[in-house]
Amino acid sequence: MDEVNVVVAHSERATLRVGDVFLKVDADQARIDVEVEAMALAPVPTPEILWREPPVLALAAVRGTALGRLGEPSPASPAAWAAAGAAVRRLHDAPLPPWPGRRRRDPGELAVELDGECEALVTSGVLPAALVTRNRRVAEAALRAWTPVFAHGDLQIDHVFVDGAEVTGVIDWSEAGRGDALFDLATLTLGHEERLGDLLTGYGADVDLDALRAWWSLRALLGVRWLTEHGFDPFAPGCEVDVLKSRM
């Protein structure tokens, strides 16, 4: 009998692996609804849906290996990163999904949230004031109007699987919707700035690099406390706090 391995688990959701089957357990069925519909519409390889019995969604494992892990050097080749960029571009060029997306859309609303989070990081002593202030200044470039695209919404490096120079699957679509293209690109390269050029080679479009880099600071600032509270370690080498330090 295959062992049950916990891939990720916190108070909002959990993912288990049993052999070549992934079981996603989520109390928020709206997230699962989005994931199922997004995978049906996305013009990129996605996991096969085996069955769904709320609150569980069963998915087949995808072929290949993850593009990398946050906090570790990516073992993938430049060609694999370029292929990932091309896949993301296909997604962003696809027709917009019919739902608005769960990610923040209004720059003013995002600025208010960011300022509140920065204040909390400093007053609670989680991060030094100088580090927060510098990254808040960098993050300003991300607070601009943008044209919505079909966005993955949580395009972490370990959500893209490759086999050689082929993208074999993109997983975890629960945050998909109409979003900022640069948020996807920044999420994929968070902590892997040296791979940005390879990714953009495949993406093949003019990109506002200042705004993209600003998303690294913005995402990290908004994520530190949530990650800590949900059992993750943003202070681990190469992770969110190191990303913030690299802006100093």
Side-chain angles (χ1 to χ4, degrees):
M1 179 177 178
D2 291 310
E3 292 183 350
V4 176
N5 296 309
V6 178
V7 178
V8 62
H10 51 76
S11 60
E12 295 180 5
R13 67 191 91 164
T15 301
L16 311 175
R17 179 169 187 168
V18 185
D20 288 332
V21 177
F22 285 87
L23 303 176
K24 303 192 73 170
V25 184
D26 197 324
D28 184 349
Q29 287 305 293
R31 272 197 294 252
I32 296 295
D33 291 341
V34 165
E35 180 146 17
V36 170
E37 190 167 357
M39 288 191 294
L41 295 176
V44 298
T46 60
E48 176 189 359
I49 297 175
L50 300 177
W51 49 266
R52 181 183 181 185
E53 187 67 38
V56 182
L57 175 66
L59 301 170
V62 298
R63 178 171 54 87
T65 57
L67 197 60
R69 306 285 179 191
L70 183 61
E72 302 175 6
S74 169
S77 67
W81 275 90
V88 177
R89 180 61 186 272
R90 288 196 301 275
L91 177 66
H92 290 172
D93 284 346
L96 291 174
W99 64 93
R102 301 168 63 91
R103 291 292 182 181
R104 311 159 190 87
R105 296 178 299 279
D106 179 74
E109 177 187 358
L110 182 56
V112 170
E113 180 182 358
L114 177 60
D115 288 340
E117 191 62 28
C118 287
E119 181 179 359
L121 287 167
V122 174
T123 57
S124 63
V126 174
L127 292 177
L131 183 64
V132 173
T133 299
R134 168 58 181 163
N135 278 275
R136 173 61 181 85
R137 190 176 304 122
V138 172
E140 187 70 27
L143 304 175
R144 86 275 181 240
W146 44 269
T147 301
V149 300
F150 189 161
H152 181 280
D154 191 24
L155 198 62
Q156 299 179 49
I157 188 174
D158 55 357
H159 290 170
V160 178
F161 282 71
V162 295
D163 184 359
E166 175 193 1
V167 174
T168 56
V170 180
I171 67 172
D172 286 356
W173 291 83
S174 62
E175 302 295 333
R178 302 175 188 179
D180 183 352
L182 295 189
F183 179 77
D184 270 357
L185 295 174
T187 301
L188 187 55
T189 53
L190 185 76
H192 292 84
E193 184 173 356
E194 75 284 356
R195 297 298 200 143
L196 179 59
D198 297 328
L199 182 76
L200 295 182
T201 294
Y203 192 72
D206 290 333
V207 170
D208 184 339
L209 294 178
D210 287 338
L212 191 155
R213 294 185 177 106
W215 267 117
W216 289 335
S217 290
L218 202 161
R219 181 181 173 94
L221 285 169
L222 292 180
V224 167
R225 287 198 313 136
W226 186 95
L227 291 165
T228 301
E229 292 167 0
H230 288 78
F232 302 99
D233 185 8
F235 291 86
C239 294
E240 284 78 6
V241 174
D242 275 356
V243 170
L244 295 173
K245 290 178 179 178
S246 71
R247 302 298 100 190
M248 299 296 287

